[in-house]
Amino acid sequence: MAAAGAAAITLAPVSFASAAGGSSGSASGGATPPSGTQVTKTVTGHLDTGAADFVYLPVEIPQGVQKISVAYAYDKPGVPAGTPGNSCDIGVFDQRGTKLDGQGFRGWSGGFRTSFEISNSEATPGYLPGPVSAGTWNIVLGPYQVAPQGMNYRVTVTLTYGEPGPRFVPDYPPQRAKGRGRAWYRGDCHLHTVYSDGKRLPSEVAAGARAAGLDFMVSTDHNTTSSHGVWGQYAGQDLLIITGEEITTRNGHWLALGLPAGDWIDWRYRSRDDAFDRFARKVHRAGGLVVPAHPYCPYVACQWKFGYDSADAVEVWNGPWTYDDESAVDTWDAKLGEAVRSGGPWLPAMGNSDAHSEPQVIGLPHNVVLAEDLATDSLMDGIRAGRNWIAESSAVELTFTVTGGGRQAGIGERLTLPADAPVDVRLDVAGVPNGTVRFITDEGQMHQESLPASGSGTVVWRTTTSLAAYVRAEVRHPMADGTPGKGNTMGPALVWGPMAALTNPVFLVPAKG
Ligand SMILES: [Zn+2]
Ligand SMILES: [Zn+2]
């Protein structure tokens, strides 16, 4: 295994080379068995607590195989509350090898499936159809939680002999749809399907995106690009479908957005390994975006530990509003202050649903991006520039501007004016009944105002470039008891209702001299 990658071990190989005519086959000797012959081998073993992140099971594939089928199972002994029980992922690399960032990747299903098949013509979702070539393949087990008793596993490999079927032809989605020129476009950039651990078919996700009033969506299945080749038939002039991947490591998840169809990004490393930056560069070279996802999600291996130096944006709002999103917004807001201090680039915020299955809502939340056109490169430019606000649904509309000295700047932009010149901050919002509008600067919340029951209103506040280095807006729902948020107070309970909309900042810069 490549030195740069995560800890791994390799088991003793399973060989079919001299086993034709074994358990269920009818052939004998070294000759290729007749078409349709199936040969099965089963491997059992035990992994102790402290097993490597990835366990490779080499499988020696002979000539003349048209399909590989793999099934696996492991025991789940009882564990005390608070102790993780057994959980094991699975995937496979072909004869081109398991080298980090190599060519051998053939699929991953995480812990979602107990079996998969690959042939030249088709494959189980999550896996890449193509030749089942002779050589050493590697089934990769990812025991991401191992009980104190250890994990007993069983892997069954079945080879079917015969001529390969016709080659699978991928149907990639186009990179452009019929837009409205330079406009604000709505899109959910973090969505799962049955191609990883979602229960929705691609057709259902595309229908859900349309129903949510979205102009675009990004497909981000965990650790595999196998869905890229099926999106073409579900895209249309009314819905741009962008290809991506959710790179799911043991030290957090990140989105590669706008990844060229078919490009795969490796996930076999931790923060301590010298690998993440290399893959971030790979995504950047391809024109894509690197976006740490749900940085404070409490699930095992889901918290972000790679820092933000290589990030183009951060997902501060993931699915229905929860306390970990508050933490992400706080971290992001602090990074805005750091950018002001250093004069370096600032980190834009994003929000996505991460919807996997019913009843998770596609588009809750989504991004509203100012782009030159409804096209992949234009939208990536808009997100990278922070010309983006986040809405819980397409029922929420919002315009946020700052005006001074006869000039105006919008979300993600900057306004340079003499330090004491008045700057008017204005938010027009609709769709948040009894909501609370907050204006937040590098000093914290500087203005709060409630919206009427109609949900529509305009909030105006005056500042200067000397008083505020940036200003951003939040629109919150009322708290559970119906009252507005508690402004600049502190207490044992959360002081804010759920987020309804969140803008990226406008930067205010005092003119020199
Ligand atoms: Zn994730
Ligand atoms: Zn996800």
Side-chain angles (χ1 to χ4, degrees):
M1 188 55 203
I9 60 165
T10 301
L11 304 170
V14 180
S15 180
F16 286 84
S18 58
S23 53
S24 62
S26 58
S28 60
T32 298
S35 183
T37 303
Q38 291 193 327
V39 183
T40 295
K41 293 224 157 203
T42 298
V43 176
T44 59
H46 177 88
L47 296 173
D48 286 324
T49 307
D53 285 354
F54 300 108
V55 176
Y56 292 92
L57 174 61
V59 180
E60 290 169 9
I61 308 279
Q63 300 284 346
V65 172
Q66 65 100 354
K67 183 169 78 178
I68 178 171
S69 310
V70 177
Y72 81 124
Y74 53 90
D75 65 343
K76 292 183 177 170
V79 292
T83 299
N86 284 337
S87 288
C88 187
D89 292 342
I90 196 167
V92 70
F93 289 77
D94 69 15
Q95 83 289 348
R96 291 170 292 183
T98 61
K99 197 163 77 66
L100 196 69
D101 198 27
Q103 298 296 308
F105 176 74
R106 288 299 292 272
W108 180 255
S109 48
F112 188 64
R113 298 177 184 279
T114 55
S115 65
F116 63 86
E117 294 189 342
I118 298 174
S119 71
N120 200 39
S121 306
E122 55 189 3
T124 303
Y127 293 82
L128 301 172
V132 183
S133 300
T136 302
W137 288 44
N138 274 275
I139 293 164
V140 51
L141 299 175
Y144 74 90
Q145 290 181 173
V146 178
Q149 301 93 323
M151 177 187 295
N152 294 309
Y153 63 86
R154 185 178 73 246
V155 180
T156 302
V157 184
T158 300
L159 303 184
T160 304
Y161 289 84
E163 288 299 311
R167 187 174 70 88
F168 172 81
V169 181
D171 179 14
Y172 295 135
Q175 298 198 19
R176 182 171 297 274
K178 185 171 164 48
R180 307 179 297 276
R182 182 178 168 87
W184 294 89
Y185 293 102
R186 293 178 182 262
D188 189 342
C189 299
H190 186 166
L191 288 162
H192 295 278
T193 70
V194 294
Y195 283 73
S196 59
D197 59 347
K199 292 202 175 90
R200 290 187 175 111
L201 298 168
S203 58
E204 293 170 325
V205 173
R210 288 180 165 97
L214 304 183
D215 302 296
F216 69 98
M217 54 161 278
V218 187
S219 161
T220 56
D221 276 309
H222 294 282
N223 291 355
T224 179
T225 55
S226 76
S227 73
H228 292 185
V230 305
W231 283 112
Q233 62 183 301
Y234 306 113
Q237 289 300 338
D238 64 327
L239 180 68
L240 176 71
I241 298 180
I242 297 173
T243 45
E245 179 183 336
E246 182 173 12
I247 294 95
T248 305
T249 81
R250 298 300 178 83
N251 283 160
H253 300 181
W254 59 286
L255 306 173
L257 305 178
L259 205 55
D263 272 21
W264 171 72
I265 302 297
D266 211 323
W267 29 264
R268 293 170 295 164
Y269 43 84
R270 292 192 182 211
S271 181
R272 67 182 172 216
D273 302 313
D274 180 22
F276 168 69
D277 287 335
R278 165 181 170 189
F279 292 104
R281 282 195 298 274
K282 184 175 174 178
V283 171
H284 287 152
R285 277 198 305 275
L289 302 186
V290 172
V291 182
H294 50 67
Y296 296 104
C297 170
Y299 303 148
V300 168
C302 285
Q303 299 111 57
W304 183 247
K305 298 294 162 60
F306 295 92
Y308 297 91
D309 289 350
S310 301
D312 299 289
V314 55
E315 188 185 70
V316 299
W317 182 356
N318 176 280
W321 188 257
T322 39
Y323 81 90
D324 60 310
D325 300 309
E326 299 279 1
S327 299
V329 167
D330 287 345
T331 294
W332 165 69
D333 188 78
K335 307 263 344 150
L336 297 178
E338 287 175 32
V340 166
R341 176 173 148 79
S342 71
W346 63 281
L347 185 68
M350 293 188 77
N352 301 301
S353 75
D354 199 2
H356 284 69
S357 312
E358 295 298 330
Q360 295 170 349
V361 177
I362 292 168
L364 169 58
H366 64 262
N367 304 282
V368 191
V369 182
L370 178 61
E372 297 303 319
D373 205 353
L374 185 52
T376 300
D377 53 355
S378 305
L379 288 160
M380 295 302 116
D381 287 346
I383 294 168
R384 195 184 287 115
R387 296 192 305 262
N388 179 16
W389 61 276
I390 309 168
E392 68 170 355
S393 79
S394 57
V396 179
E397 295 171 40
L398 171 161
T399 308
F400 184 57
T401 56
V402 301
T403 309
R407 292 204 298 278
Q408 189 174 78
I411 292 167
E413 297 176 340
R414 77 183 55 218
L415 184 70
T416 304
L417 275 184
D420 57 353
V423 173
D424 287 317
V425 179
R426 176 185 172 117
L427 180 79
D428 295 286
V429 60
V432 192
N434 303 307
T436 305
V437 172
R438 312 177 66 199
F439 288 164
I440 295 159
T441 77
D442 53 307
E443 284 193 284
Q445 178 181 305
M446 300 302 285
H447 188 76
Q448 175 179 329
E449 215 170 300
S450 291
L451 295 171
S454 71
S456 299
T458 297
V459 178
V460 177
W461 172 67
R462 178 164 285 191
T463 185
T464 64
T465 57
S466 70
L467 277 175
Y470 61 84
V471 57
R472 63 181 185 84
E474 292 184 3
V475 187
R476 301 279 187 146
H477 287 292
M479 300 208 297
D481 64 2
T483 62
K486 290 189 172 56
N488 305 84
T489 61
M490 193 160 72
L494 285 178
V495 294
W496 291 107
M499 196 76 80
L502 168 76
T503 74
N504 270 299
V506 187
F507 289 90
L508 304 180
V509 184
K512 290 213 173 67

